Amino acid sequence: MEILITMQPEIINHPYLTAIKRTDLSVPTRYLLQHNLLKGRILDYGCGFGYDTDELIKRGYNIIGYDYYYRPYYPEGKFDTIICNYVLNVLEPYAQAEVLMNVTNLLSSNGTAFFAVRRDLVEEGFRLHAIYKQYTYQCNVKLPFLSLTSNSSYELYQYNHFNKLLRKEGETCPFCRLSRKVEIICETATCLAFYDGYPVSPGHALIIPKRHVANYFDLTNHEREAMNVMLQFVKRKIDDRFNPDGYNIGINVNKAAGQSVFHVHMHIIPRYQGDVQNPKGGVRGVIPNKQKY
């Protein structure tokens, strides 16, 4: 008996079809204007056709717009304020994480980002666009950031770098009360990356979950996956800035394996030609007489 297996065609998301040609400022941007929250060098991330950006330029604000489809010149430098309006709702989870990492990477150390998400979505998932007949995705999004305002239409969140937030009284974990001097590389809802304060080599970075967990094997599957997704992003940023020749990636679990800070942390250690006499064996060197084989 012959069994036929039919493969379902892959559904491709077309989020750019959700961009709206506005004739007035978006509601989140009006809120930020009314509350004097647009300061310094400003980025409108995911600006679509760019009405908000262009209107704010006319009003004298120092702002540029970036959109992957409509204004694809990627921004350079750091920004004091970043707006990200109605972007996350039309992206699948991996793409949402990419946006969060990019926005937090582009934000200056003392800057503020604002994420607006829709609250009027009834059905989640893929839908065939009524006009363009292409698939677009929509979902509800909850973020673990400060909520400035929320109603039945939208919610506006405020983000500041993890190490700039108020610390819990009596907190002793050095990662939960991360030094304000540390340079944040990027952040998502569940984890963040930063440059090590005592680097083994130029570009040495750490990725940690925000939740205080000592043992890597006690993390949730989502937390482990989030760290791995962030690893790829951090590696690209280190490549761009330090141009290393290789990497060692490692996690110490328990005192016997050398763990000294009992909050999970992944080391991303760039390696350079000639940084040691003989690098053969790499991470096998944690037991020195077993490194060579």
Side-chain angles (χ1 to χ4, degrees), residues 2-288:
E2 187 174 317
I3 299 175
L4 296 177
I5 299 175
T6 57
M7 301 295 291
Q8 293 294 325
E10 180 185 4
I11 298 178
I12 298 174
N13 188 21
H14 299 275
Y16 61 93
L17 298 180
T18 60
I20 298 173
K21 291 186 177 179
R22 297 185 177 278
T23 57
D24 197 4
L25 287 172
S26 65
V27 172
T29 298
R30 289 206 303 269
Y31 178 96
L32 297 175
L33 269 174
Q34 291 165 1
H35 292 82
N36 195 31
L37 294 172
L38 297 174
K39 302 178 184 298
R41 188 173 185 236
I42 306 167
L43 171 64
D44 186 354
Y45 190 100
C47 65
F49 294 111
Y51 181 90
D52 279 10
T53 304
D54 296 341
E55 179 62 24
L56 290 174
I57 289 173
K58 291 177 185 176
R59 300 188 187 194
Y61 285 88
N62 179 14
I63 182 171
I64 64 171
Y66 165 75
D67 189 274
Y68 183 82
Y69 300 97
Y70 299 107
R71 299 194 179 188
Y73 181 75
Y74 195 78
E76 297 181 353
K78 299 290 185 178
F79 295 85
D80 303 299
T81 305
I82 301 180
I83 309 167
C84 186
N85 289 341
Y86 304 131
V87 174
L88 298 176
N89 291 106
V90 297
L91 298 177
E92 296 171 81
Y94 282 103
Q96 291 176 14
E98 191 75 17
V99 168
L100 288 171
M101 289 188 290
N102 276 309
V103 169
T104 55
N105 178 259
L106 288 164
L107 189 67
S108 65
S109 61
N110 291 306
T112 302
F114 300 96
F115 296 92
V117 298
R118 290 178 58 185
R119 284 285 170 257
D120 58 353
L121 297 179
V122 178
E123 295 184 7
E124 296 187 83
F126 284 94
R127 61 194 171 114
L128 193 63
H129 198 286
I131 298 174
Y132 300 108
K133 305 303 179 185
Q134 299 284 348
Y135 281 101
T136 59
Y137 178 82
Q138 60 180 8
C139 65
N140 288 300
V141 175
K142 290 281 189 180
L143 295 173
F145 307 146
L146 174 66
S147 178
L148 292 180
T149 184
S150 180
N151 56 38
S152 60
S153 297
Y154 87 110
E155 185 165 8
L156 183 63
Y157 292 99
Q158 175 179 313
Y159 163 87
N160 297 97
H161 285 304
F162 181 82
N163 60 338
K164 299 302 192 294
L165 301 177
L166 291 175
R167 279 77 182 277
K168 293 180 181 178
E169 188 175 349
E171 182 61 72
T172 59
C173 172
F175 290 161
C176 291
R177 57 176 180 85
L178 192 62
S179 169
R180 289 184 168 86
K181 296 179 180 179
V182 164
E183 181 182 350
I184 300 291
I185 301 172
C186 62
E187 183 172 343
T188 64
T190 55
C191 59
L192 72 145
F194 53 93
Y195 288 109
D196 194 296
Y198 302 93
V200 171
S201 65
H204 179 183
L206 299 177
I207 297 174
I208 68 170
K210 292 181 182 177
R211 187 168 68 96
H212 182 77
V213 182
N215 190 313
Y216 172 79
F217 297 104
D218 291 334
L219 294 174
T220 65
N221 289 335
H222 176 81
E223 287 168 325
R224 284 194 291 270
E225 185 62 22
M227 290 177 71
N228 284 328
V229 169
M230 186 167 283
L231 172 61
Q232 302 298 322
F233 183 92
V234 171
K235 189 263 185 187
R236 295 198 303 269
K237 296 304 175 184
I238 295 174
D239 282 347
D240 291 343
R241 184 166 169 180
F242 297 96
N243 194 31
D245 300 304
Y247 284 91
N248 291 120
I249 311 298
I251 300 172
N252 301 322
V253 181
N254 292 336
K255 187 175 181 180
Q259 186 175 4
S260 57
V261 177
F262 291 90
H263 182 135
V264 177
H265 51 289
M266 176 188 291
H267 291 267
I268 304 98
I269 302 176
R271 298 298 302 276
Y272 301 88
Q273 290 288 349
D275 60 2
V276 297
Q277 187 173 358
N278 181 10
K280 184 178 179 180
V283 295
R284 292 172 60 95
V286 296
I287 300 179

